Amino acid sequence: MQNIYYLYDFEMEFLSGQNGVLSSEQLYSISSWKNIAFRQDLMEAYFESFVESNAYSSIINEIVMYYRNFIKDICIWDVEKDCFNLEKKIKGGLLSEKKLYSKNSISAPKTEIEYKAQIYTNEILKFNKAVSDFFAENAKKILCSHISEKIKTYRGLLK
């Protein structure tokens, strides 16, 4: 499993920028007023906006492609269904992360002018760190656990 960790780390480094998995343009889009307006929980709004973004889709596609390449020579199961289940696990893990960060979150201001005037840099940076940490560690653990489950299942069948 160490080899999986090493290769995953390499893959994520290639995918990531200097400030985490999201570029400043992606962060700006995710944290835009249209995505957070009238929300009671700013962090929850950032996470939900992220999950609906192209950035999230790109990261998930990259992880799934990495997984497919890893299992291509040993796969005897339904790959599409398996990848779908892996995506669900990763999304579930991210939603759990959202709950952790939403506990101490603040409400969005009442107007766009207030939001732009106050620039919620700390909240945006906290969100960026949460997402980067999730994909650097938790998603890697989910992926390795998923692979371990497959190995265990098929070892059991071969006995």
Side-chain angles (χ1 to χ4, degrees), residues 69-92:
N69 286 334
F70 188 81
I71 63 159
K72 69 182 176 203
D73 295 331
I74 60 168
C75 184
I76 58 173
W77 55 87
D78 183 346
V79 178
E80 296 306 317
K81 183 178 176 184
D82 187 37
C83 289
F84 177 76
N85 289 334
L86 176 60
E87 288 178 37
K88 273 180 35 180
K89 287 179 183 179
I90 293 171
K91 188 174 185 178

Side-chain angles (χ1 to χ4, degrees), residues 5 16 66 71 116:
Y5 279 146
S16 300
Y66 168 78
I71 63 159
K116 288 183 177 182

Side-chain angles (χ1 to χ4, degrees), residues 28-37 39 45-46 49-50 52:
Y28 178 77
S29 175
I30 288 164
S31 64
S32 69
W33 174 253
K34 71 178 177 98
N35 291 326
I36 61 98
R39 298 294 300 266
Y46 292 156
S49 178
F50 170 63
E52 295 171 6

